[in-house]
Amino acid sequence: MHRLTVVLLAAVDAAIAVAVGIAATLAPLTLLWIVAFGGVADWAALWPAAASIWQLGHAVPLDVELAGAYVAAVGVDPSAESFALSLGPLAFAAFTAIFAARSGIRASRAEAWVTGVVTGAVVVAALSALVALTSTSAVVTAATWRAVLHPTLFFLIPGVIAAVAAEWREAGSGAIARLRDRIESAPHGWGLVPALVARGAAVAVMGLLGAGALVLAVGIFTRGAEIIGLYEAGNVDLLGATVITLAQLAYLPTLAIWGLAFVAGPGFSLGAGTAVSPAATQVGVIPGIPVLGAVPESTTPWLLLLALLPVALGALAGWIARSRLIALEKDAVARGIGPQLRRPDDDDPIAARLAVTGGIAVVAAAATAVLASLAAGSMGPGRLTAVGPEPGAVALAVGLEVCVGAGILLLAPRRREDRVPEAAERDPQGPAWFDTEPIEPLRPPDEHPTGAAGTRL
């Protein structure tokens, strides 16, 4: 693919990621403006609101300053006139990351991944700057540099990761392909460690996210009556209920990460002095957001068994890594390069598998720490300034649990049928080990086929 085509496609992907994200916020606000205000109010006031929501969805902290007259009219504590809002609806960030990964993979296959990823990031930065500069508001403000940097990073980092992964798997030339070939040529299985760590950690993290989403779904299903009660207590009409539901859908990725923290053990908080975990739950008065009705008022000790899920996911990651390692070793031996993977006098080398086990645990812990930090923040004044999981505690729990599970599968002694044959066990005829025909031994001159002693051809 021509480089100019890669640039244009990457720019289009970046523009769509920004435009669709803002449109997903602006469309329901416009519908609310038409139905609630009959089109009389100034529509231009919706643009700062839509831009602020989109920025919050990319982890941009917002400073909210309410007018004193408004605070007095609604009977709110005067201390709540100003507060920070940083707990964002991560559906917007996830949408941007998906488009970035798609763009990075396509640029990699076009052999211009650096050009594609950089172009997309520049376009996102330019559009984010345009949004930030045209959406100033007296009520909600955000630091301009954050409003530009955060969306750009949510496009750049996933794009680079996806492009590098595609290069590692598919590229036949280039810097990453040369680095891959050099690493994979390392003896005794060490060359397989990076790929196995990446694959195992991805399995563990995605499995944990799925488990968190499942816990969230179970909570919504079992506590549906409480959720409906919070809808009714809000005294909203059909349009208001629709807007609230759409907002909660945008927060589903955030809530799934809360579920991940709950499964891992540390849980999350709904404000200062609160805790929601399998061990204990202490929430007090929660905000009147309907989906928070899924939070249990109390827990049972049986929920501590949820900690076995990360261990099981670590075991699954270890099994996948071990199966891949054994398959590659056997394939290498069948092609005659088995001695490069392990020493003939080493019955079962374990150093590389130790490295894979530790690598999976560390990478999974780091990834969950990043996710937990994105799903934590402030959602209002007072005690609501500390909401969500604690990144350090979640990372530590996930790292230990995944390490135990992966170690069970990766560090256990190999079965006899899984071991690479020793040199003495190999077929002496050679075809299974060397793709050459047996060499005929040299004959003395008097036994030459021509029958002429001393005659040389």
Side-chain angles (χ1 to χ4, degrees), residues 308-365:
L308 296 178
L309 284 177
V311 176
L313 289 170
L316 175 61
W319 176 76
I320 291 174
R322 178 167 181 154
S323 299
R324 182 66 174 167
L325 182 63
I326 292 173
L328 290 177
E329 284 185 353
K330 288 185 175 181
D331 178 69
V333 170
R335 291 184 289 111
I337 57 174
Q340 296 181 7
L341 291 174
R342 71 179 188 89
R343 296 182 299 272
D345 58 344
D346 190 356
D347 181 65
D348 191 13
I350 198 173
R353 289 188 282 130
L354 272 172
V356 173
T357 303
I360 290 175
V362 169
V363 174

Side-chain angles (χ1 to χ4, degrees), residues 34-141:
I34 294 174
V35 175
F37 302 102
V40 177
D42 184 13
W43 182 87
L46 298 180
W47 171 247
S52 297
I53 295 172
W54 180 79
Q55 291 167 350
L56 181 62
H58 288 84
V60 178
L62 303 178
D63 295 320
V64 181
E65 186 75 29
L66 301 177
Y70 172 79
V71 172
V74 298
V76 178
D77 188 344
S79 63
E81 288 186 6
S82 61
F83 57 89
L85 191 63
S86 59
L87 181 65
L90 294 181
F92 295 97
F95 182 81
T96 301
I98 290 172
F99 261 78
R102 174 177 174 270
S103 179
I105 293 173
R106 184 176 57 206
S108 171
R109 292 173 177 171
E111 299 182 355
W113 70 271
V114 175
T115 302
V117 171
V118 170
T119 300
V122 169
V123 171
V124 170
L127 293 177
S128 300
L130 179 63
V131 170
L133 295 175
T134 58
S135 61
T136 56
S137 171
V139 178
V140 180
T141 58

Side-chain angles (χ1 to χ4, degrees), residues 94-393:
F95 182 81
T96 301
I98 290 172
F99 261 78
R102 174 177 174 270
S103 179
I105 293 173
R106 184 176 57 206
S108 171
R109 292 173 177 171
E111 299 182 355
W113 70 271
V114 175
T115 302
V117 171
V118 170
T119 300
V122 169
V123 171
V124 170
L127 293 177
S128 300
L130 179 63
V131 170
L133 295 175
T134 58
S135 61
T136 56
S137 171
V139 178
V140 180
T141 58
T144 303
W145 69 273
R146 288 182 178 273
V148 175
L149 178 63
H150 288 202
T152 304
L153 291 179
F154 274 104
F155 191 94
L156 178 64
I157 295 176
V160 170
I161 293 174
V164 170
E167 286 283 304
W168 190 279
R169 292 193 313 266
E170 303 173 6
S173 60
I176 294 179
R178 291 193 295 271
L179 177 63
R180 175 200 63 205
D181 294 340
R182 180 175 299 179
I183 291 176
E184 290 185 348
S185 64
H188 313 307
W190 285 100
L192 308 175
V193 170
L196 295 179
V197 167
R199 179 174 299 190
V203 169
V205 173
M206 295 306 296
L208 285 169
L209 280 174
L214 180 61
V215 167
L216 173 62
V218 171
I220 293 174
F221 178 76
T222 57
R223 294 182 59 83
E226 288 76 5
I227 295 174
I228 294 174
L230 289 174
Y231 267 109
E232 294 174 346
N235 293 322
V236 294
D237 55 8
L238 178 61
L239 179 61
T242 302
V243 172
I244 291 175
T245 302
L246 290 176
Q248 292 176 144
L249 289 175
Y251 272 94
L252 280 182
T254 306
L255 298 176
I257 297 173
W258 290 10
L260 183 157
F262 188 84
V263 170
F268 57 92
S269 66
L270 289 175
T274 65
V276 181
S277 70
T281 297
Q282 182 180 358
V283 294
V285 180
I286 64 175
I289 302 173
V291 73
L292 294 183
V295 176
E297 297 176 356
S298 61
T299 55
T300 171
W302 288 102
L303 288 178
L304 293 173
L305 294 177
L306 288 174
L308 296 178
L309 284 177
V311 176
L313 289 170
L316 175 61
W319 176 76
I320 291 174
R322 178 167 181 154
S323 299
R324 182 66 174 167
L325 182 63
I326 292 173
L328 290 177
E329 284 185 353
K330 288 185 175 181
D331 178 69
V333 170
R335 291 184 289 111
I337 57 174
Q340 296 181 7
L341 291 174
R342 71 179 188 89
R343 296 182 299 272
D345 58 344
D346 190 356
D347 181 65
D348 191 13
I350 198 173
R353 289 188 282 130
L354 272 172
V356 173
T357 303
I360 290 175
V362 169
V363 174
T368 51
V370 172
L371 292 175
S373 64
L374 293 176
S378 171
M379 61 180 298
R383 69 186 186 94
L384 295 180
T385 55
V387 177
E390 178 63 33

